[in-house]
Amino acid sequence: MKTKNGKKILLDIEKVAKIRPIKTIPIFTSFGIFLFLYLPLAAFVGLKLGGDCGWTLFYIAMFVIPVAGIFMHFSLIKHRHPMAINIFSYTCVSPTSFYASSFFMFACISGVSLWDLWFIPVLWLVVELNAYRLSRRNTDEMLITYFRRQFRLDESGNYLFYLENGFVGRLKETKKVPNWLYWLENSGGLLIMIIGPLLFITSAALRDNFDPRFAIAGGIAFLMAPGFRPVSTEFYTLRRALKLKQQGAF
């Protein structure tokens, strides 16, 4: 990523490494993709289409997942892409990943068609649009004032970029969301904390009856998804700020 005057914008690896275990991020990215996308997708294909399709997809994932880890490694270490950390977060712990997992887990249940699950992509779209809307509440001037402090020049004249954790909480317009939205987004996680032990006990008692187990797994992912809306808000906000930097706004 470069500014219009040709200077590179690079991730400040040294500062990031003090807070995050950089070398393990590619591993967690691969694990996140496998857990939230490939595993439920393989189960769906295997159960719905039958035959060896599910296992074939599983074996393909064994090749694709390391590729994702290698891609993240080069994005971090070699190319030092300024959004690499946020891409990792968006891949593993965003509403998109949780809703995708929920969709395919519910689809594994016998007698359920993809059309029956229309409410999942609709709710995902609502959450993502709300995240984008919240990210637009901060004006360009607000972003410039905050992000100006996140860049420093290195010896080669390039910009080193470091982003503080939870930065949307430091921006005026995204610092506090309405109370109704806060409770709406976090009520699913609270519900899981309350009934979670009962769900696991019930799951263990089901033995070989997989339909309820898929329903439980899909339901947990579905309820938790809205609570990760801030990850999407951070992604959209950072993308705006870096675009302003590229255009030479600051």
Side-chain angles (χ1 to χ4, degrees), residues 27-49:
I27 298 174
F28 281 110
T29 301
S30 302
F31 178 75
I33 294 174
F34 177 74
L35 181 64
F36 290 107
L37 182 59
Y38 270 101
L39 189 60
L41 180 59
F44 162 72
V45 173
L47 291 172
K48 289 292 185 179
L49 302 183

mmCIF file with all atom_site columns, all heavy atoms in Angstrom, residues 27-49:
data_model
loop_
_atom_site.group_PDB
_atom_site.id
_atom_site.type_symbol
_atom_site.label_atom_id
_atom_site.label_alt_id
_atom_site.label_comp_id
_atom_site.label_asym_id
_atom_site.label_entity_id
_atom_site.label_seq_id
_atom_site.pdbx_PDB_ins_code
_atom_site.Cartn_x
_atom_site.Cartn_y
_atom_site.Cartn_z
_atom_site.occupancy
_atom_site.B_iso_or_equiv
_atom_site.pdbx_formal_charge
_atom_site.auth_seq_id
_atom_site.auth_comp_id
_atom_site.auth_asym_id
_atom_site.auth_atom_id
_atom_site.pdbx_PDB_model_num
ATOM 1   N N   . ILE A 1 27 ? -1.187  -19.199 12.122 1.00 0.00 ? 27 ILE A N   1
ATOM 2   C CA  . ILE A 1 27 ? -1.744  -20.478 12.589 1.00 0.00 ? 27 ILE A CA  1
ATOM 3   C C   . ILE A 1 27 ? -3.191  -20.293 13.012 1.00 0.00 ? 27 ILE A C   1
ATOM 4   O O   . ILE A 1 27 ? -4.070  -21.086 12.644 1.00 0.00 ? 27 ILE A O   1
ATOM 5   C CB  . ILE A 1 27 ? -0.906  -21.022 13.765 1.00 0.00 ? 27 ILE A CB  1
ATOM 6   C CG1 . ILE A 1 27 ? 0.525   -21.292 13.302 1.00 0.00 ? 27 ILE A CG1 1
ATOM 7   C CG2 . ILE A 1 27 ? -1.539  -22.283 14.327 1.00 0.00 ? 27 ILE A CG2 1
ATOM 8   C CD1 . ILE A 1 27 ? 1.460   -21.703 14.417 1.00 0.00 ? 27 ILE A CD1 1
ATOM 9   N N   . PHE A 1 28 ? -3.460  -19.242 13.779 1.00 0.00 ? 28 PHE A N   1
ATOM 10  C CA  . PHE A 1 28 ? -4.826  -19.000 14.240 1.00 0.00 ? 28 PHE A CA  1
ATOM 11  C C   . PHE A 1 28 ? -5.746  -18.628 13.073 1.00 0.00 ? 28 PHE A C   1
ATOM 12  O O   . PHE A 1 28 ? -6.934  -18.947 13.093 1.00 0.00 ? 28 PHE A O   1
ATOM 13  C CB  . PHE A 1 28 ? -4.840  -17.900 15.303 1.00 0.00 ? 28 PHE A CB  1
ATOM 14  C CG  . PHE A 1 28 ? -4.422  -18.380 16.655 1.00 0.00 ? 28 PHE A CG  1
ATOM 15  C CD1 . PHE A 1 28 ? -3.223  -17.980 17.204 1.00 0.00 ? 28 PHE A CD1 1
ATOM 16  C CD2 . PHE A 1 28 ? -5.230  -19.241 17.376 1.00 0.00 ? 28 PHE A CD2 1
ATOM 17  C CE1 . PHE A 1 28 ? -2.826  -18.435 18.452 1.00 0.00 ? 28 PHE A CE1 1
ATOM 18  C CE2 . PHE A 1 28 ? -4.845  -19.701 18.632 1.00 0.00 ? 28 PHE A CE2 1
ATOM 19  C CZ  . PHE A 1 28 ? -3.632  -19.291 19.173 1.00 0.00 ? 28 PHE A CZ  1
ATOM 20  N N   . THR A 1 29 ? -5.190  -17.950 12.066 1.00 0.00 ? 29 THR A N   1
ATOM 21  C CA  . THR A 1 29 ? -5.987  -17.634 10.885 1.00 0.00 ? 29 THR A CA  1
ATOM 22  C C   . THR A 1 29 ? -6.416  -18.908 10.181 1.00 0.00 ? 29 THR A C   1
ATOM 23  O O   . THR A 1 29 ? -7.579  -19.082 9.799  1.00 0.00 ? 29 THR A O   1
ATOM 24  C CB  . THR A 1 29 ? -5.194  -16.741 9.917  1.00 0.00 ? 29 THR A CB  1
ATOM 25  O OG1 . THR A 1 29 ? -4.814  -15.537 10.579 1.00 0.00 ? 29 THR A OG1 1
ATOM 26  C CG2 . THR A 1 29 ? -6.028  -16.390 8.688  1.00 0.00 ? 29 THR A CG2 1
ATOM 27  N N   . SER A 1 30 ? -5.469  -19.825 9.986  1.00 0.00 ? 30 SER A N   1
ATOM 28  C CA  . SER A 1 30 ? -5.781  -21.104 9.349  1.00 0.00 ? 30 SER A CA  1
ATOM 29  C C   . SER A 1 30 ? -6.812  -21.873 10.161 1.00 0.00 ? 30 SER A C   1
ATOM 30  O O   . SER A 1 30 ? -7.767  -22.434 9.615  1.00 0.00 ? 30 SER A O   1
ATOM 31  C CB  . SER A 1 30 ? -4.499  -21.936 9.201  1.00 0.00 ? 30 SER A CB  1
ATOM 32  O OG  . SER A 1 30 ? -3.537  -21.238 8.453  1.00 0.00 ? 30 SER A OG  1
ATOM 33  N N   . PHE A 1 31 ? -6.628  -21.900 11.468 1.00 0.00 ? 31 PHE A N   1
ATOM 34  C CA  . PHE A 1 31 ? -7.558  -22.610 12.347 1.00 0.00 ? 31 PHE A CA  1
ATOM 35  C C   . PHE A 1 31 ? -8.938  -21.976 12.289 1.00 0.00 ? 31 PHE A C   1
ATOM 36  O O   . PHE A 1 31 ? -9.954  -22.677 12.264 1.00 0.00 ? 31 PHE A O   1
ATOM 37  C CB  . PHE A 1 31 ? -7.023  -22.591 13.784 1.00 0.00 ? 31 PHE A CB  1
ATOM 38  C CG  . PHE A 1 31 ? -7.944  -23.257 14.763 1.00 0.00 ? 31 PHE A CG  1
ATOM 39  C CD1 . PHE A 1 31 ? -8.038  -24.635 14.817 1.00 0.00 ? 31 PHE A CD1 1
ATOM 40  C CD2 . PHE A 1 31 ? -8.721  -22.497 15.620 1.00 0.00 ? 31 PHE A CD2 1
ATOM 41  C CE1 . PHE A 1 31 ? -8.890  -25.250 15.726 1.00 0.00 ? 31 PHE A CE1 1
ATOM 42  C CE2 . PHE A 1 31 ? -9.573  -23.098 16.526 1.00 0.00 ? 31 PHE A CE2 1
ATOM 43  C CZ  . PHE A 1 31 ? -9.655  -24.486 16.586 1.00 0.00 ? 31 PHE A CZ  1
ATOM 44  N N   . GLY A 1 32 ? -8.983  -20.642 12.253 1.00 0.00 ? 32 GLY A N   1
ATOM 45  C CA  . GLY A 1 32 ? -10.267 -19.948 12.193 1.00 0.00 ? 32 GLY A CA  1
ATOM 46  C C   . GLY A 1 32 ? -11.032 -20.253 10.920 1.00 0.00 ? 32 GLY A C   1
ATOM 47  O O   . GLY A 1 32 ? -12.242 -20.490 10.942 1.00 0.00 ? 32 GLY A O   1
ATOM 48  N N   . ILE A 1 33 ? -10.319 -20.249 9.780  1.00 0.00 ? 33 ILE A N   1
ATOM 49  C CA  . ILE A 1 33 ? -10.967 -20.565 8.502  1.00 0.00 ? 33 ILE A CA  1
ATOM 50  C C   . ILE A 1 33 ? -11.499 -21.994 8.524  1.00 0.00 ? 33 ILE A C   1
ATOM 51  O O   . ILE A 1 33 ? -12.612 -22.275 8.078  1.00 0.00 ? 33 ILE A O   1
ATOM 52  C CB  . ILE A 1 33 ? -9.972  -20.377 7.337  1.00 0.00 ? 33 ILE A CB  1
ATOM 53  C CG1 . ILE A 1 33 ? -9.600  -18.896 7.200  1.00 0.00 ? 33 ILE A CG1 1
ATOM 54  C CG2 . ILE A 1 33 ? -10.568 -20.883 6.028  1.00 0.00 ? 33 ILE A CG2 1
ATOM 55  C CD1 . ILE A 1 33 ? -8.519  -18.639 6.184  1.00 0.00 ? 33 ILE A CD1 1
ATOM 56  N N   . PHE A 1 34 ? -10.707 -22.896 9.058  1.00 0.00 ? 34 PHE A N   1
ATOM 57  C CA  . PHE A 1 34 ? -11.120 -24.300 9.118  1.00 0.00 ? 34 PHE A CA  1
ATOM 58  C C   . PHE A 1 34 ? -12.340 -24.484 10.009 1.00 0.00 ? 34 PHE A C   1
ATOM 59  O O   . PHE A 1 34 ? -13.307 -25.154 9.647  1.00 0.00 ? 34 PHE A O   1
ATOM 60  C CB  . PHE A 1 34 ? -9.954  -25.151 9.642  1.00 0.00 ? 34 PHE A CB  1
ATOM 61  C CG  . PHE A 1 34 ? -10.298 -26.607 9.801  1.00 0.00 ? 34 PHE A CG  1
ATOM 62  C CD1 . PHE A 1 34 ? -10.428 -27.427 8.700  1.00 0.00 ? 34 PHE A CD1 1
ATOM 63  C CD2 . PHE A 1 34 ? -10.490 -27.150 11.053 1.00 0.00 ? 34 PHE A CD2 1
ATOM 64  C CE1 . PHE A 1 34 ? -10.749 -28.770 8.843  1.00 0.00 ? 34 PHE A CE1 1
ATOM 65  C CE2 . PHE A 1 34 ? -10.816 -28.485 11.216 1.00 0.00 ? 34 PHE A CE2 1
ATOM 66  C CZ  . PHE A 1 34 ? -10.933 -29.296 10.108 1.00 0.00 ? 34 PHE A CZ  1
ATOM 67  N N   . LEU A 1 35 ? -12.310 -23.857 11.176 1.00 0.00 ? 35 LEU A N   1
ATOM 68  C CA  . LEU A 1 35 ? -13.366 -24.058 12.161 1.00 0.00 ? 35 LEU A CA  1
ATOM 69  C C   . LEU A 1 35 ? -14.674 -23.414 11.729 1.00 0.00 ? 35 LEU A C   1
ATOM 70  O O   . LEU A 1 35 ? -15.753 -24.012 11.868 1.00 0.00 ? 35 LEU A O   1
ATOM 71  C CB  . LEU A 1 35 ? -12.928 -23.484 13.514 1.00 0.00 ? 35 LEU A CB  1
ATOM 72  C CG  . LEU A 1 35 ? -13.919 -23.625 14.673 1.00 0.00 ? 35 LEU A CG  1
ATOM 73  C CD1 . LEU A 1 35 ? -14.129 -25.102 15.000 1.00 0.00 ? 35 LEU A CD1 1
ATOM 74  C CD2 . LEU A 1 35 ? -13.407 -22.885 15.894 1.00 0.00 ? 35 LEU A CD2 1
ATOM 75  N N   . PHE A 1 36 ? -14.618 -22.189 11.195 1.00 0.00 ? 36 PHE A N   1
ATOM 76  C CA  . PHE A 1 36 ? -15.829 -21.426 10.924 1.00 0.00 ? 36 PHE A CA  1
ATOM 77  C C   . PHE A 1 36 ? -16.358 -21.564 9.506  1.00 0.00 ? 36 PHE A C   1
ATOM 78  O O   . PHE A 1 36 ? -17.476 -21.149 9.225  1.00 0.00 ? 36 PHE A O   1
ATOM 79  C CB  . PHE A 1 36 ? -15.598 -19.944 11.227 1.00 0.00 ? 36 PHE A CB  1
ATOM 80  C CG  . PHE A 1 36 ? -15.452 -19.666 12.690 1.00 0.00 ? 36 PHE A CG  1
ATOM 81  C CD1 . PHE A 1 36 ? -14.223 -19.357 13.231 1.00 0.00 ? 36 PHE A CD1 1
ATOM 82  C CD2 . PHE A 1 36 ? -16.554 -19.733 13.533 1.00 0.00 ? 36 PHE A CD2 1
ATOM 83  C CE1 . PHE A 1 36 ? -14.089 -19.114 14.583 1.00 0.00 ? 36 PHE A CE1 1
ATOM 84  C CE2 . PHE A 1 36 ? -16.419 -19.491 14.890 1.00 0.00 ? 36 PHE A CE2 1
ATOM 85  C CZ  . PHE A 1 36 ? -15.186 -19.176 15.412 1.00 0.00 ? 36 PHE A CZ  1
ATOM 86  N N   . LEU A 1 37 ? -15.554 -22.153 8.606  1.00 0.00 ? 37 LEU A N   1
ATOM 87  C CA  . LEU A 1 37 ? -16.032 -22.274 7.233  1.00 0.00 ? 37 LEU A CA  1
ATOM 88  C C   . LEU A 1 37 ? -15.896 -23.682 6.682  1.00 0.00 ? 37 LEU A C   1
ATOM 89  O O   . LEU A 1 37 ? -16.887 -24.320 6.344  1.00 0.00 ? 37 LEU A O   1
ATOM 90  C CB  . LEU A 1 37 ? -15.293 -21.285 6.325  1.00 0.00 ? 37 LEU A CB  1
ATOM 91  C CG  . LEU A 1 37 ? -15.732 -21.280 4.858  1.00 0.00 ? 37 LEU A CG  1
ATOM 92  C CD1 . LEU A 1 37 ? -17.229 -20.931 4.765  1.00 0.00 ? 37 LEU A CD1 1
ATOM 93  C CD2 . LEU A 1 37 ? -14.920 -20.299 4.045  1.00 0.00 ? 37 LEU A CD2 1
ATOM 94  N N   . TYR A 1 38 ? -14.687 -24.225 6.641  1.00 0.00 ? 38 TYR A N   1
ATOM 95  C CA  . TYR A 1 38 ? -14.484 -25.496 5.962  1.00 0.00 ? 38 TYR A CA  1
ATOM 96  C C   . TYR A 1 38 ? -15.100 -26.675 6.690  1.00 0.00 ? 38 TYR A C   1
ATOM 97  O O   . TYR A 1 38 ? -15.654 -27.579 6.056  1.00 0.00 ? 38 TYR A O   1
ATOM 98  C CB  . TYR A 1 38 ? -12.987 -25.738 5.729  1.00 0.00 ? 38 TYR A CB  1
ATOM 99  C CG  . TYR A 1 38 ? -12.515 -25.182 4.420  1.00 0.00 ? 38 TYR A CG  1
ATOM 100 C CD1 . TYR A 1 38 ? -11.832 -23.974 4.372  1.00 0.00 ? 38 TYR A CD1 1
ATOM 101 C CD2 . TYR A 1 38 ? -12.777 -25.841 3.218  1.00 0.00 ? 38 TYR A CD2 1
ATOM 102 C CE1 . TYR A 1 38 ? -11.409 -23.442 3.175  1.00 0.00 ? 38 TYR A CE1 1
ATOM 103 C CE2 . TYR A 1 38 ? -12.351 -25.302 2.022  1.00 0.00 ? 38 TYR A CE2 1
ATOM 104 C CZ  . TYR A 1 38 ? -11.673 -24.117 1.998  1.00 0.00 ? 38 TYR A CZ  1
ATOM 105 O OH  . TYR A 1 38 ? -11.266 -23.594 0.807  1.00 0.00 ? 38 TYR A OH  1
ATOM 106 N N   . LEU A 1 39 ? -14.995 -26.688 8.006  1.00 0.00 ? 39 LEU A N   1
ATOM 107 C CA  . LEU A 1 39 ? -15.544 -27.824 8.750  1.00 0.00 ? 39 LEU A CA  1
ATOM 108 C C   . LEU A 1 39 ? -17.063 -27.917 8.602  1.00 0.00 ? 39 LEU A C   1
ATOM 109 O O   . LEU A 1 39 ? -17.584 -28.976 8.230  1.00 0.00 ? 39 LEU A O   1
ATOM 110 C CB  . LEU A 1 39 ? -15.137 -27.731 10.218 1.00 0.00 ? 39 LEU A CB  1
ATOM 111 C CG  . LEU A 1 39 ? -15.462 -28.950 11.077 1.00 0.00 ? 39 LEU A CG  1
ATOM 112 C CD1 . LEU A 1 39 ? -14.758 -30.181 10.512 1.00 0.00 ? 39 LEU A CD1 1
ATOM 113 C CD2 . LEU A 1 39 ? -15.016 -28.724 12.521 1.00 0.00 ? 39 LEU A CD2 1
ATOM 114 N N   . PRO A 1 40 ? -17.833 -26.834 8.848  1.00 0.00 ? 40 PRO A N   1
ATOM 115 C CA  . PRO A 1 40 ? -19.287 -26.933 8.639  1.00 0.00 ? 40 PRO A CA  1
ATOM 116 C C   . PRO A 1 40 ? -19.657 -27.115 7.178  1.00 0.00 ? 40 PRO A C   1
ATOM 117 O O   . PRO A 1 40 ? -20.633 -27.796 6.860  1.00 0.00 ? 40 PRO A O   1
ATOM 118 C CB  . PRO A 1 40 ? -19.826 -25.608 9.192  1.00 0.00 ? 40 PRO A CB  1
ATOM 119 C CG  . PRO A 1 40 ? -18.666 -24.686 9.216  1.00 0.00 ? 40 PRO A CG  1
ATOM 120 C CD  . PRO A 1 40 ? -17.464 -25.536 9.460  1.00 0.00 ? 40 PRO A CD  1
ATOM 121 N N   . LEU A 1 41 ? -18.872 -26.522 6.261  1.00 0.00 ? 41 LEU A N   1
ATOM 122 C CA  . LEU A 1 41 ? -19.164 -26.688 4.837  1.00 0.00 ? 41 LEU A CA  1
ATOM 123 C C   . LEU A 1 41 ? -18.956 -28.138 4.403  1.00 0.00 ? 41 LEU A C   1
ATOM 124 O O   . LEU A 1 41 ? -19.767 -28.700 3.656  1.00 0.00 ? 41 LEU A O   1
ATOM 125 C CB  . LEU A 1 41 ? -18.271 -25.764 4.010  1.00 0.00 ? 41 LEU A CB  1
ATOM 126 C CG  . LEU A 1 41 ? -18.450 -25.825 2.486  1.00 0.00 ? 41 LEU A CG  1
ATOM 127 C CD1 . LEU A 1 41 ? -19.881 -25.477 2.090  1.00 0.00 ? 41 LEU A CD1 1
ATOM 128 C CD2 . LEU A 1 41 ? -17.467 -24.889 1.799  1.00 0.00 ? 41 LEU A CD2 1
ATOM 129 N N   . ALA A 1 42 ? -17.863 -28.755 4.887  1.00 0.00 ? 42 ALA A N   1
ATOM 130 C CA  . ALA A 1 42 ? -17.606 -30.155 4.552  1.00 0.00 ? 42 ALA A CA  1
ATOM 131 C C   . ALA A 1 42 ? -18.695 -31.061 5.115  1.00 0.00 ? 42 ALA A C   1
ATOM 132 O O   . ALA A 1 42 ? -19.146 -32.008 4.458  1.00 0.00 ? 42 ALA A O   1
ATOM 133 C CB  . ALA A 1 42 ? -16.240 -30.575 5.097  1.00 0.00 ? 42 ALA A CB  1
ATOM 134 N N   . ALA A 1 43 ? -19.141 -30.767 6.348  1.00 0.00 ? 43 ALA A N   1
ATOM 135 C CA  . ALA A 1 43 ? -20.216 -31.558 6.943  1.00 0.00 ? 43 ALA A CA  1
ATOM 136 C C   . ALA A 1 43 ? -21.497 -31.414 6.142  1.00 0.00 ? 43 ALA A C   1
ATOM 137 O O   . ALA A 1 43 ? -22.207 -32.393 5.892  1.00 0.00 ? 43 ALA A O   1
ATOM 138 C CB  . ALA A 1 43 ? -20.442 -31.115 8.390  1.00 0.00 ? 43 ALA A CB  1
ATOM 139 N N   . PHE A 1 44 ? -21.792 -30.197 5.703  1.00 0.00 ? 44 PHE A N   1
ATOM 140 C CA  . PHE A 1 44 ? -22.994 -29.954 4.906  1.00 0.00 ? 44 PHE A CA  1
ATOM 141 C C   . PHE A 1 44 ? -22.951 -30.716 3.587  1.00 0.00 ? 44 PHE A C   1
ATOM 142 O O   . PHE A 1 44 ? -23.917 -31.398 3.216  1.00 0.00 ? 44 PHE A O   1
ATOM 143 C CB  . PHE A 1 44 ? -23.139 -28.454 4.633  1.00 0.00 ? 44 PHE A CB  1
ATOM 144 C CG  . PHE A 1 44 ? -24.055 -28.126 3.490  1.00 0.00 ? 44 PHE A CG  1
ATOM 145 C CD1 . PHE A 1 44 ? -25.426 -28.293 3.609  1.00 0.00 ? 44 PHE A CD1 1
ATOM 146 C CD2 . PHE A 1 44 ? -23.537 -27.666 2.293  1.00 0.00 ? 44 PHE A CD2 1
ATOM 147 C CE1 . PHE A 1 44 ? -26.267 -28.008 2.552  1.00 0.00 ? 44 PHE A CE1 1
ATOM 148 C CE2 . PHE A 1 44 ? -24.373 -27.369 1.236  1.00 0.00 ? 44 PHE A CE2 1
ATOM 149 C CZ  . PHE A 1 44 ? -25.733 -27.536 1.359  1.00 0.00 ? 44 PHE A CZ  1
ATOM 150 N N   . VAL A 1 45 ? -21.828 -30.617 2.881  1.00 0.00 ? 45 VAL A N   1
ATOM 151 C CA  . VAL A 1 45 ? -21.707 -31.298 1.591  1.00 0.00 ? 45 VAL A CA  1
ATOM 152 C C   . VAL A 1 45 ? -21.795 -32.800 1.773  1.00 0.00 ? 45 VAL A C   1
ATOM 153 O O   . VAL A 1 45 ? -22.466 -33.506 1.013  1.00 0.00 ? 45 VAL A O   1
ATOM 154 C CB  . VAL A 1 45 ? -20.378 -30.907 0.905  1.00 0.00 ? 45 VAL A CB  1
ATOM 155 C CG1 . VAL A 1 45 ? -20.157 -31.744 -0.350 1.00 0.00 ? 45 VAL A CG1 1
ATOM 156 C CG2 . VAL A 1 45 ? -20.378 -29.436 0.535  1.00 0.00 ? 45 VAL A CG2 1
ATOM 157 N N   . GLY A 1 46 ? -21.118 -33.328 2.794  1.00 0.00 ? 46 GLY A N   1
ATOM 158 C CA  . GLY A 1 46 ? -21.123 -34.771 3.012  1.00 0.00 ? 46 GLY A CA  1
ATOM 159 C C   . GLY A 1 46 ? -22.492 -35.302 3.379  1.00 0.00 ? 46 GLY A C   1
ATOM 160 O O   . GLY A 1 46 ? -22.899 -36.363 2.900  1.00 0.00 ? 46 GLY A O   1
ATOM 161 N N   . LEU A 1 47 ? -23.236 -34.576 4.197  1.00 0.00 ? 47 LEU A N   1
ATOM 162 C CA  . LEU A 1 47 ? -24.534 -35.052 4.658  1.00 0.00 ? 47 LEU A CA  1
ATOM 163 C C   . LEU A 1 47 ? -25.630 -34.830 3.618  1.00 0.00 ? 47 LEU A C   1
ATOM 164 O O   . LEU A 1 47 ? -26.526 -35.662 3.466  1.00 0.00 ? 47 LEU A O   1
ATOM 165 C CB  . LEU A 1 47 ? -24.916 -34.354 5.963  1.00 0.00 ? 47 LEU A CB  1
ATOM 166 C CG  . LEU A 1 47 ? -24.071 -34.734 7.185  1.00 0.00 ? 47 LEU A CG  1
ATOM 167 C CD1 . LEU A 1 47 ? -24.419 -33.845 8.360  1.00 0.00 ? 47 LEU A CD1 1
ATOM 168 C CD2 . LEU A 1 47 ? -24.308 -36.203 7.550  1.00 0.00 ? 47 LEU A CD2 1
ATOM 169 N N   . LYS A 1 48 ? -25.580 -33.700 2.913  1.00 0.00 ? 48 LYS A N   1
ATOM 170 C CA  . LYS A 1 48 ? -26.641 -33.374 1.965  1.00 0.00 ? 48 LYS A CA  1
ATOM 171 C C   . LYS A 1 48 ? -26.464 -34.080 0.621  1.00 0.00 ? 48 LYS A C   1
ATOM 172 O O   . LYS A 1 48 ? -27.436 -34.539 0.024  1.00 0.00 ? 48 LYS A O   1
ATOM 173 C CB  . LYS A 1 48 ? -26.686 -31.849 1.735  1.00 0.00 ? 48 LYS A CB  1
ATOM 174 C CG  . LYS A 1 48 ? -27.219 -31.071 2.931  1.00 0.00 ? 48 LYS A CG  1
ATOM 175 C CD  . LYS A 1 48 ? -28.683 -31.351 3.168  1.00 0.00 ? 48 LYS A CD  1
ATOM 176 C CE  . LYS A 1 48 ? -29.227 -30.481 4.290  1.00 0.00 ? 48 LYS A CE  1
ATOM 177 N NZ  . LYS A 1 48 ? -30.665 -30.707 4.529  1.00 0.00 ? 48 LYS A NZ  1
ATOM 178 N N   . LEU A 1 49 ? -25.231 -34.123 0.144  1.00 0.00 ? 49 LEU A N   1
ATOM 179 C CA  . LEU A 1 49 ? -24.984 -34.711 -1.173 1.00 0.00 ? 49 LEU A CA  1
ATOM 180 C C   . LEU A 1 49 ? -24.568 -36.167 -1.103 1.00 0.00 ? 49 LEU A C   1
ATOM 181 O O   . LEU A 1 49 ? -24.640 -36.888 -2.085 1.00 0.00 ? 49 LEU A O   1
ATOM 182 C CB  . LEU A 1 49 ? -23.914 -33.904 -1.918 1.00 0.00 ? 49 LEU A CB  1
ATOM 183 C CG  . LEU A 1 49 ? -24.233 -32.415 -2.134 1.00 0.00 ? 49 LEU A CG  1
ATOM 184 C CD1 . LEU A 1 49 ? -23.121 -31.765 -2.946 1.00 0.00 ? 49 LEU A CD1 1
ATOM 185 C CD2 . LEU A 1 49 ? -25.571 -32.241 -2.833 1.00 0.00 ? 49 LEU A CD2 1
#
